[in-house]
């Protein structure tokens, strides 16, 4: 009843304001799996779950190696889901133009109102709306039903989420109104030009006045223009107005000043429609020799690519977290984001406008199939024009959007039509694409190929150039290796990688997530945070090139934040679930790379030391490369109070970090950064003892007094002195007290496949854990109790165990707390009669410690932690070969074939055997982020010489077929051979299929592409 009254109040308000946009996110009903006749009004949805939008059902599920999403999309569940919602129709709506609007639904959505099918939208990253005026006129209530079909997988090459992941709205207008996205504002100097499209849905001609007023940021009207017009019955009319601003304040990165255009359509004195559009006044020029100029200032695009998801929160990212992530990138020194490889939600662009972040707005991944069931495979040809039109008309008023990108690692003559359509819709912005190689692009955008050694010496300079996906370096937060690593090995003629020497002759570090025997694939490695793990060049050299090459307009590293998906091709698959190329991990914890960029791209004095100084298994005196990043003139490093000398950060890539070779000894490292000879900022890191405590803190803004606000709680593993313990992997348990709940838990790990959504506990990853806590009312107190059994899982230096329980207030006052902890060591469930915890105690390897946390006499948490040789990360892992093998057949897609493990000598977990299935196939996905060209394919196989002397197979690459003959081998399934063939691979996504043309006696082990 309360909500109905509120809706009626809004309807009355609309009568006064001429139009209203009503948030439509609350109280939807949801059910997973397909439902028969759920679009009908009479359908019984009483057992459906009630939830608020935005919503991503995939992130709520369990990671599973068998989920159809697979490694490409992150092993989460997909499927079909239904949403329903019934509302009363206020009398004020009747006779008006009413729409239901969706900012984003992934994917293949169908919407009904009172059983009438309103339409379908295959693309999952587009905003759309439907007219429901018939229903509001004829009915007193409306039942909406939305079917979302993300069943066929993979539906992209990365994690997409599933469901109505963005905001929904009800828009109520008069029958004469501004068309959807019907206002287009552009500026030149201090002149503002505005096109306004007006729709007349009445059956008679209308005499109208269009009054456009421009307000400054304080709300003061600084300019206006009035035009009289006539609009024919059932027709549209476009009005062009030019307004001069006196001493216009310019929008820039440093001062993102925003004006608001207020468009009012009047009939006599009555205001029929009123639309507010924010915009910025800025002039942008692109020059091939020098790149981009904003308001007469040459600006390098210091960019990153980012996907839609935010780790544990999936694709339905709360506004507060989205804003935090954009600000985090800005604090890093980033000034541009490429929306890879699809548009983001509307509020993203609003935030970039407000914060001074440039946007390369990207619409598509491919113009053809790049994943088996993506938009390119099924809908592109029919829908691209409509989706592109809706996208540009939605985003073209944002001053942050400075260039459009229409594809990524794609190809085809359709590029010409796409660029032409972009120019028709918006002639003020240039068009590029990530590595399409299309001659029709205004700006040359190149992905990985632009990282190759010598590329800039031969590139064409007739157009502006942008490194649209450059550079590719990989790193795991808190993980270090002193040996240089290349994805494809070094030297590599195809990649033309730069040479980077090892930091030490022998590898210093051996701590790892597993040993060699624990890897299912040679790609399953963590990468070093020294900036020495790459495809072709380091982040440092990319920074240097961007800075020093005048015609290098911009670079967008892959990526800003880690993201779910692309785990198979790049990282070898399960348990790897995510891509770890970001400067920030999935849980919004900064990696060392963040501080490298900050040292090069920002001016606020900073200093950062890596690696950490806790190395319990290293022999004292072992020399460790200590790097310090700083944007100051000079840095001095101290070890246990003794100066190791001063160094100046250099301009060249190899001098950007100050490096000291420091003999390992426990204690304190301190770096002091100087400017003009004066100390400005310092950083101290210390050796930590075994973990005994946790520390709780909040990253970003705290909880405000509103419902469904969210906060990021950080849990830091420390020793008993409060020093950060960088190997922490103990499990923290969370209990929310008051008006809040756990939204999700995370830790930034690329291999932790525990469920995120509404989980109650999570292991730490390299000493950190993240909890997202959400308020459930507007005002109540909210606190969190976090508890942890702490100790070294493998007891490397200590067999002592501690138990810690910490409280933090997130809103209001801390509750009164009398906390007692009881524990057992024999595997039994602890009770209040068990041993009372009073301090650290010793345990033997193989012991499971269980604990009960009692607060104010109430049992609130049961904890558990096992200490054993087979638990946790390993401390003596041997180095892995740079590139010891290929892509295993058993990890690829296959049909009419089986995974077998009989015999010997095969690589990986097994091989593909076709048995008697002539026509069976195995198919690999191969992404080429360099240039198209000729490659060597090596097919490792075994073929039975007892059946025939040779075996015919069909090799299919991107639809092109050729027949090959493999010689038979003695000792079937024990003797393996490599058949090599030259093949043409295109840029971007490639599919390579091997089909057996004869039955019996053939097995395929792996494919290598050289």
């Amino acid at each position: 009843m309360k909500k109905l009254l509120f809706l009626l109040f809004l309807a009355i308000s609309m009568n006064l304001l001429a139009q209203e946009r009503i948030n439509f996110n609350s109280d939807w009903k949801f059910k997973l799996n397909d439902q028969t006749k759920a679009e009908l009004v009479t359908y019984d949805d009483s057992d459906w779950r009630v939830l608020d939008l935005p919503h991503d059902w995939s992130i709520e599920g369990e990671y599973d190696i068998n989920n159809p999403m697979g490694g490409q999309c992150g092993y989460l569940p997909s499927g079909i889901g239904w949403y329903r919602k019934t509302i009363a129709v206020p009398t004020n709506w009747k006779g008006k133009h009413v729409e239901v609007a969706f900012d984003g639904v992934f994917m293949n959505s169908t919407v009904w109102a009172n059983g009438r099918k309103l339409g379908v939208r295959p693309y999952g990253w587009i905003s759309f709306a439907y007219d429901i005026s018939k229903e509001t006129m004829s009915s007193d209530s409306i039942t909406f039903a939305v079917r979302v079909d993300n069943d066929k997988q993979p539906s992209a090459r990365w994690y997409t989420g599933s469901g109505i992941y963005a905001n929904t709205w009800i828009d109520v207008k008069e029958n004469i109104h501004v068309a959807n996205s019907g206002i287009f504002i552009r500026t030149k100097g201090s002149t503002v030009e505005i096109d306004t499209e007006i729709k007349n849905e009445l059956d008679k001609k209308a005499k109208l006045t269009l009054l456009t007023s421009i307000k400054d940021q304080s709300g003061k009207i600084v300019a206006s223009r009035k035009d009289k017009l006539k609009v024919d019955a059932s027709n549209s009319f476009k009005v062009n107005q030019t307004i001069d601003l006196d001493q216009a304040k310019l929008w820039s990165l440093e001062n993102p000043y925003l004006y608001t255009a207020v468009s009012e359509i009047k009939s006599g004195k009555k205001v029929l429609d009123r639309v507010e559009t924010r915009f910025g006044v800025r002039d942008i020029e692109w020059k091939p020799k020098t790149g981009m100029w904003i308001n007469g200032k040459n600006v390098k695009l210091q960019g990153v690519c980012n996907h839609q998801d935010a780790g544990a929160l999936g694709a339905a990212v709360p506004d507060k977290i989205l804003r935090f992530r954009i600000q985090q990138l800005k604090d890093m020194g980033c000034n541009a984001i490429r929306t890879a490889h699809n548009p983001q939600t509307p509020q993203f662009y609003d935030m970039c406008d407000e914060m001074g972040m440039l946007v390369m707005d990207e619409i598509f991944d491919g113009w053809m199939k790049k994943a088996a069931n993506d938009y390119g495979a099924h809908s592109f040809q029919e829908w691209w024009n409509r989706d592109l039109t809706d996208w540009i008309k939605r985003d073209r008023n944002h001053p942050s959007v400075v260039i459009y990108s229409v594809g990524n690692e794609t190809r085809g003559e359709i590029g010409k039509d796409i660029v032409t359509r972009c120019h028709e819709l918006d002639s003020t912005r240039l068009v590029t694409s990530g590595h399409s190689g299309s001659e029709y692009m205004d700006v040359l955008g190149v992905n990985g190929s632009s990282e190759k050694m010598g590329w800039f010496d031969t590139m064409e300079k007739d157009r502006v150039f942008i490194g649209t996906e450059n550079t590719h370096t990989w790193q795991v937060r808190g993980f270090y290796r002193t040996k240089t690593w290349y994805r494809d090995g070094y030297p590599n003629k195809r990649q033309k990688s730069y040479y980077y020497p090892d930091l030490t002759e022998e590898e210093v570090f051996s701590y790892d997530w597993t040993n060699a025997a624990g890897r299912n694939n040679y790609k399953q490695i963590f990468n070093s945070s020294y900036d020495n793990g790459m495809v072709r060049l380091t982040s440092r050299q990319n920074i240097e090139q961007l800075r020093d090459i005048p015609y290098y307009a911009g670079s967008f590293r892959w990526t800003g934040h880690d993201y779910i998906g692309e785990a198979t091709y790049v990282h070898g698959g399960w348990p790897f679930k995510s891509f770890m190329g970001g400067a920030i991990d999935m849980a919004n914890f900064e990696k060392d790379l963040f501080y490298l960029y900050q040292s090069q791209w920002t001016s606020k004095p900073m200093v950062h030391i890596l690696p950490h100084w806790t190395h319990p298994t290293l022999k004292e005196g072992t020399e460790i490369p200590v790097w310090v990043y700083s944007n100051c003139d000079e840095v001095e490093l101290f070890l246990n109070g003794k100066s190791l000398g001063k160094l100046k950060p250099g301009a060249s890539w190899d001098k950007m970090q100050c490096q000291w070779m420091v003999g390992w000894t426990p204690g304190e490292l301190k770096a002091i950064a100087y400017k003009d000879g004066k100390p400005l900022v310092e950083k101290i890191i210390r050796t930590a003892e075994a973990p005994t405590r946790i520390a709780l803190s909040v990253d970003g803004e705290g909880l405000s007094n509103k419902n469904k606000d969210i906060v990021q709680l950080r849990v830091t593993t420390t020793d008993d002195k409060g020093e950060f313990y960088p190997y922490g992997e103990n499990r923290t348990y969370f209990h929310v007290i008051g008006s809040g709940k756990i939204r999700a838990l995370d830790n930034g790990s690329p291999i932790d496949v525990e469920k995120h959504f509404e989980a109650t506990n999570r292991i730490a990853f390299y000493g950190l854990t993240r909890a997202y806590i959400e308020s459930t009312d507007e005002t109540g107190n909210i606190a969190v109790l976090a508890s942890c059994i702490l100790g070294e899982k493998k007891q490397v230096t200590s067999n002592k165990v501690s138990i810690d329980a910490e409280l933090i207030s997130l809103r209001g006052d801390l509750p009164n707390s009398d906390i007692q902890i009881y524990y057992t060591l024999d595997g039994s469930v602890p009770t209040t009669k068990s041993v009372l915890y009073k301090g650290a105690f010793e345990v033997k390897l193989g012991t499971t410690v269980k604990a009960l946390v009692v607060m104010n006499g109430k049992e609130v948490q049961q904890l558990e932690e096992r200490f054993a040789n087979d638990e946790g990360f390993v401390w003596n892992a041997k180095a892995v070969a740079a590139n010891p093998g290929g892509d295993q057949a058993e990890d690829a897609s296959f049909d009419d074939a089986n995974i077998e493990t009989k015999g010997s000598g095969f690589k990986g977990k097994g091989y593909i055997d076709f048995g008697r299935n002539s026509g069976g196939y195995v198919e690999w996905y191969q992404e080429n982020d360099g240039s198209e060209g000729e490659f060597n394919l090596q097919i490792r196989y075994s073929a039975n010489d007892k059946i025939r002397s040779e075996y015919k197979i069909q090799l299919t690459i991107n639809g092109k077929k050729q027949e090959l003959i493999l010689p038979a081998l003695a000792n079937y399934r024990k003797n393996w051979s490599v058949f090599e063939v030259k093949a043409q691979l295109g840029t971007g996504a490639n599919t390579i299929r091997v089909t057996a043309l004869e039955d019996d006696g053939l097995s395929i082990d792996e494919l290598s592409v050289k």
Side-chain angles (χ1 to χ4, degrees):
M1 184 64 184
K2 237 166 150 188
K3 290 190 176 174
L4 181 57
L5 289 171
F6 178 64
L7 206 55
L8 289 170
F9 169 76
L10 287 176
I12 294 168
S13 300
M14 283 187 298
N15 207 34
L16 299 174
L17 296 174
Q19 60 83 28
E20 184 70 17
R21 164 157 271 210
I22 303 168
N23 187 290
F24 202 51
N25 288 340
S26 64
D27 296 327
W28 284 79
K29 291 189 173 183
F30 170 75
K31 194 161 191 178
L32 197 55
N33 299 320
D34 215 355
Q35 310 298 319
T36 304
K37 297 182 178 180
E39 75 274 13
L40 301 180
V41 175
T42 55
Y43 182 88
D44 182 8
D45 58 14
S46 58
D47 64 338
W48 287 28
R49 172 186 166 194
V50 178
L51 53 78
D52 293 343
L53 304 177
H55 175 237
D56 171 5
W57 80 68
S58 289
I59 201 65
E60 295 180 350
E62 303 272 1
Y63 290 99
D64 192 314
I65 192 173
N66 296 313
N67 276 332
M69 272 192 172
Q72 273 187 263
C73 298
Y75 299 109
L76 283 161
S78 50
I80 296 172
W82 280 82
Y83 299 84
R84 284 171 54 90
K85 181 172 179 176
T86 299
I87 62 166
V89 177
T91 56
N92 303 73
W93 291 11
K94 295 187 180 297
K96 293 189 177 181
H97 179 89
V98 186
E99 294 179 349
V100 59
F102 297 84
D103 282 349
V105 184
F106 199 91
M107 60 181 295
N108 296 314
S109 66
T110 309
V111 182
W112 292 265
N114 284 351
R116 179 171 72 94
K117 184 177 177 179
L118 301 178
V120 300
R121 291 304 286 253
Y123 200 33
W125 289 297
I126 202 70
S127 300
F128 56 91
Y130 297 115
D131 186 349
I132 56 169
S133 303
K134 290 181 180 179
E135 283 70 30
T136 57
M137 187 65 186
S138 61
S139 305
D140 293 328
S141 66
I142 303 176
T143 296
F144 295 93
V146 182
R147 181 181 185 269
V148 185
D149 184 354
N150 192 24
D151 191 43
K152 293 180 180 178
Q153 292 295 323
S155 57
R157 298 180 302 111
W158 59 90
Y159 177 73
T160 63
S162 301
I164 308 177
Y165 67 89
N167 291 320
T168 56
W169 310 91
I170 293 289
D171 292 313
V172 184
K173 310 173 184 179
E174 297 291 341
N175 287 304
I176 297 175
H177 56 268
V178 175
N180 286 342
S181 302
I183 293 176
F184 180 25
I185 303 175
R186 54 263 190 217
T187 66
K188 188 172 182 61
S190 60
T191 300
V192 182
E193 188 175 359
I194 306 175
D195 289 341
T196 305
E197 183 183 356
I198 299 169
K199 293 187 72 174
N200 179 10
E201 296 187 342
L202 298 175
D203 56 5
K204 60 182 179 180
K205 182 183 292 187
K207 293 182 179 181
L208 306 168
T209 300
L210 172 62
L211 173 62
T212 301
S213 305
I214 296 180
K215 298 191 297 185
D216 64 15
Q217 282 194 166
S218 69
K220 178 184 176 183
I221 295 176
V222 293
S224 63
R225 174 165 170 174
K226 184 187 295 185
D227 287 274
K228 293 184 177 181
L229 54 136
K230 296 178 181 179
V231 184
D232 290 338
S234 304
N235 211 333
S236 297
F237 186 79
K238 186 180 289 185
V239 184
N240 178 266
Q241 296 176 312
T242 300
I243 302 174
D244 289 324
L245 288 178
D246 186 29
Q247 296 181 330
K249 293 181 174 64
L250 302 182
W251 186 95
S252 66
L253 295 170
E254 300 78 19
N255 182 31
Y257 193 92
L258 294 171
Y259 289 92
T260 301
V262 182
S263 306
E264 293 181 310
I265 303 173
K266 294 183 177 182
S267 176
K269 293 185 178 181
K270 183 178 181 182
V271 177
L272 300 178
D273 200 2
R274 185 179 189 275
V275 177
E276 294 192 356
T277 308
R278 291 197 309 178
F279 70 96
V281 177
R282 87 283 190 275
D283 287 331
I284 291 182
E285 291 183 273
W286 297 89
K287 302 177 183 180
K289 292 184 178 180
T290 53
M292 187 180 71
W293 295 72
I294 301 180
N295 303 325
K297 178 183 177 182
N298 194 196
V299 176
K300 295 279 190 177
L301 292 164
Q302 297 169 175
V304 299
C305 303
N306 258 9
H307 281 313
Q308 169 73 29
D309 78 275
L313 300 169
V317 186
D319 288 359
K320 191 172 182 179
I321 303 302
L322 179 58
R323 186 178 290 274
F324 176 88
R325 284 160 68 93
I326 296 171
Q327 185 61 53
Q328 197 174 28
L329 291 171
K330 195 170 176 71
D331 292 343
M332 186 177 85
C334 171
N335 66 14
I337 298 172
R338 177 187 177 205
T339 65
H341 300 293
N342 48 264
Q344 294 215 6
T345 50
Q347 59 267 38
F348 165 82
Y349 303 92
D350 290 334
M351 294 175 190
C352 289
D353 290 346
E354 296 164 6
M355 300 164 72
M357 179 67 77
L358 305 176
V359 177
M360 176 184 285
D361 203 3
E362 189 158 271
I363 176 67
F364 301 125
D365 183 20
W367 307 332
M368 74 291 284
K369 180 178 82 169
K370 293 183 71 174
N373 291 290
D374 67 0
Y375 174 79
H378 298 292
S379 304
F380 178 81
Q381 292 298 328
E382 179 184 355
W383 282 90
W384 75 261
N385 194 353
R386 182 171 180 183
D387 288 332
L388 182 139
T389 300
D390 289 348
W391 162 65
I392 286 187
K393 291 179 74 173
R394 185 195 73 173
D395 293 350
R396 62 188 177 181
N397 292 321
H398 290 284
S400 59
V401 176
V402 294
I403 190 169
Y404 295 127
S405 175
V406 292
N408 174 67
E409 293 176 358
T410 189
R411 52 195 177 270
E413 281 299 304
I414 193 69
K416 180 179 180 180
D417 296 333
I418 293 173
V419 173
T420 298
R421 184 60 178 147
C422 288
H423 290 164
E424 290 171 353
L425 293 163
D426 181 1
S427 62
T428 70
R429 291 178 175 89
L430 299 187
V431 180
T432 190
S433 59
H435 215 68
S436 75
S438 172
E439 62 185 290
Y440 305 113
M441 300 296 138
D442 304 319
V443 170
L444 177 62
V446 181
N447 284 2
S449 281
S450 59
E451 302 171 355
K452 292 181 178 181
M453 184 169 56
W455 193 87
F456 286 99
D457 299 331
T458 59
M459 67 165 278
E460 298 292 331
K461 300 180 180 64
D462 59 323
R463 288 181 286 175
V464 172
F465 161 73
I466 294 175
T468 40
E469 195 172 298
N470 176 340
T471 183
H472 297 79
T473 67
W474 300 335
Q475 48 280 311
V476 170
R477 172 179 54 79
F479 182 84
Y480 302 95
R481 287 289 185 266
T482 58
K483 303 286 280 186
T484 302
W485 178 90
Y486 295 86
R487 182 190 69 180
D488 302 314
Y490 183 90
N492 187 304
K493 292 181 180 179
R494 178 165 60 89
Q495 299 296 6
K496 297 182 180 177
S497 306
Y498 290 85
Y499 172 71
Y500 300 101
D502 296 330
L503 300 180
T504 59
E505 287 188 17
E506 299 293 330
E507 180 57 61
V508 170
F509 305 107
S510 62
Y511 188 76
D512 208 342
W513 76 277
T514 188
N515 54 32
R519 305 181 205 279
N520 296 319
N521 187 295
Y522 74 93
K523 298 178 181 180
Q524 293 185 327
I525 64 169
F526 283 1
N527 296 108
S528 170
S529 289
Y530 270 116
D531 187 36
N532 59 351
M534 79 242 35
V535 181
R536 305 171 188 88
L537 83 168
T538 64
S539 302
R540 289 164 292 151
Q541 187 154 1
N542 172 252
I543 291 169
E544 179 183 12
Q545 289 175 342
L546 177 64
R547 182 195 66 210
D548 293 346
I549 299 175
Y551 48 85
Y552 194 171
S555 175
F556 291 80
R557 78 158 286 115
W558 191 263
T559 52
H561 291 80
D562 289 352
Y563 59 91
I564 302 171
E566 289 200 80
T568 310
Y569 170 67
V570 178
H571 296 309
W574 188 270
F576 283 77
K577 67 175 188 228
S578 61
F579 193 99
M580 48 194 176
I584 305 163
D585 73 18
M586 287 198 308
N588 299 333
F589 295 128
E590 297 88 355
K591 304 180 187 180
D592 290 301
L593 191 66
F594 173 96
Y595 300 98
L596 165 63
Y597 282 105
Q598 197 173 66
S599 72
Q600 301 301 310
W601 287 354
T602 71
S603 57
K604 182 180 178 181
M606 57 77 61
V607 64
H608 176 77
I609 307 173
L610 69 144
H612 56 72
W613 206 237
T614 302
H615 307 289
T617 61
L618 279 188
K619 181 181 177 182
E620 283 208 37
T622 301
E623 288 201 326
I624 297 175
V626 173
W627 285 14
V628 177
Y629 297 137
S630 180
N631 53 13
C632 296
D633 298 338
E634 199 171 30
V635 177
E636 186 172 13
L637 185 69
F638 295 83
L639 174 62
N640 294 330
K642 180 182 178 182
S643 176
L644 302 183
K646 291 182 178 180
L647 293 175
K648 297 179 184 294
S652 63
W653 69 266
D654 57 334
K655 297 293 191 297
M656 287 178 181
Q657 77 284 354
C658 296
Q659 175 177 301
W660 291 263
M661 296 301 296
V662 182
W664 156 243
T665 187
E668 175 187 279
L669 277 179
K670 178 166 70 172
I672 300 177
Y674 298 85
K675 193 92 169 177
D676 297 326
K678 297 179 180 179
L680 284 187
V681 61
E682 69 177 41
K683 176 71 176 180
I684 296 174
I685 59 174
R686 298 183 179 93
T687 305
E689 301 297 327
T692 61
R693 298 176 59 189
I694 54 175
L696 308 182
S697 58
V698 168
D699 290 331
E701 293 183 14
L703 285 175
S704 61
N705 289 327
K706 66 179 183 179
N707 189 21
K708 292 194 176 298
D709 194 19
I710 196 167
V711 71
Q712 299 183 91
L713 179 61
R714 176 189 290 241
V715 182
T716 304
T717 307
T718 76
D719 65 9
D720 58 358
K721 296 177 182 177
E723 296 298 335
F724 173 58
Y725 179 72
Y727 304 104
E729 54 182 331
N730 297 127
R731 184 174 298 275
T732 298
Y733 294 75
F734 299 88
H735 173 65
V736 181
I737 303 161
S739 305
K741 69 173 186 177
I742 298 170
R743 168 77 174 263
L745 302 179
D746 205 348
N747 53 25
S749 168
I751 60 169
D752 182 355
V753 290
E754 293 186 7
K755 184 179 179 181
H756 297 290
F757 180 67
E758 294 185 347
T760 58
N761 56 82
R762 196 86 181 180
I763 61 171
F765 182 69
Y766 287 129
L768 297 176
T769 312
R770 171 75 75 206
Y772 296 99
I773 309 297
E774 191 174 76
S775 60
T776 54
D777 71 11
E778 294 182 359
T779 59
N781 293 342
I782 302 172
V784 170
L785 173 68
S787 305
C788 190
I789 301 172
L790 294 124
E792 296 174 349
K793 285 194 172 186
K794 283 184 165 63
Q795 297 187 353
V796 176
T797 66
S798 171
N799 65 353
K800 286 192 173 182
V801 170
S802 301
I803 308 175
D804 192 21
E806 298 288 340
L807 267 173
I808 185 172
S809 173
L810 300 179
R811 191 171 71 185
D813 300 324
L814 265 178
N816 295 324
S817 58
D818 177 17
I819 297 174
Q820 294 178 310
I821 301 170
Y822 303 86
Y823 69 93
T824 63
L825 304 180
D826 60 2
S828 63
V829 176
T831 68
T832 53
K833 295 182 180 179
S834 301
V835 179
L836 178 66
Y837 177 74
K838 294 183 179 179
F841 52 89
E842 296 181 353
V843 300
K844 295 180 179 179
L845 281 173
T847 301
T848 297
V849 179
K850 295 184 178 182
L852 168 68
V853 180
V854 177
M855 181 174 175
N856 299 331
K858 182 180 179 181
E859 298 181 4
V860 292
Q861 289 175 321
Q862 288 277 354
L863 322 180
E864 184 174 327
E865 192 78 43
R866 183 168 177 263
F867 300 88
N869 277 324
D870 59 351
E871 289 286 340
F873 291 167
V874 299
W875 290 83
N876 58 349
K878 294 182 179 179
V880 180
N883 197 344
D887 292 320
Q888 300 305 303
E890 67 272 19
D891 293 329
S893 301
F894 57 88
D895 196 18
D896 284 338
N898 297 300
I899 298 176
E900 290 288 352
T901 57
K902 297 175 184 176
S904 61
F906 55 85
K907 297 183 179 180
K909 303 184 294 294
Y911 53 87
I912 291 296
D913 178 65
F914 294 107
R916 295 187 176 274
N917 299 318
S918 173
Y921 69 83
V922 55
E923 182 178 275
W924 291 266
Y925 167 83
Q926 285 283 319
E927 184 175 337
N928 173 24
D929 56 5
S931 302
E932 64 180 340
E934 190 174 74
F935 292 74
N936 289 325
L937 305 190
Q938 297 176 346
I939 303 169
R940 193 169 193 267
Y941 75 98
S942 188
N944 194 342
D945 66 346
K946 301 277 194 299
I947 298 176
R948 57 180 67 87
S949 61
E950 57 186 28
Y951 287 77
K952 295 178 180 178
I953 64 169
Q954 181 175 275
L955 177 65
T956 307
I957 301 176
N958 300 331
K960 294 183 179 181
K961 302 174 182 178
Q962 61 176 306
E963 189 174 296
L964 304 175
I965 295 177
L966 307 181
L969 305 170
N971 297 318
Y972 180 49
R973 294 176 175 171
K974 293 181 180 178
N975 186 17
W976 300 83
S977 183
V978 173
F979 184 88
E980 187 166 308
V981 59
K982 294 188 181 300
Q984 193 77 14
L985 296 186
T987 294
N990 293 272
T991 55
I992 302 172
R993 177 180 290 194
V994 172
T995 304
L997 297 180
E998 295 172 311
D999 63 3
D1000 218 3
L1002 178 64
S1003 296
I1004 303 292
D1005 185 29
E1006 71 176 11
L1007 173 77
S1008 296
V1009 180
K1010 304 293 186 181

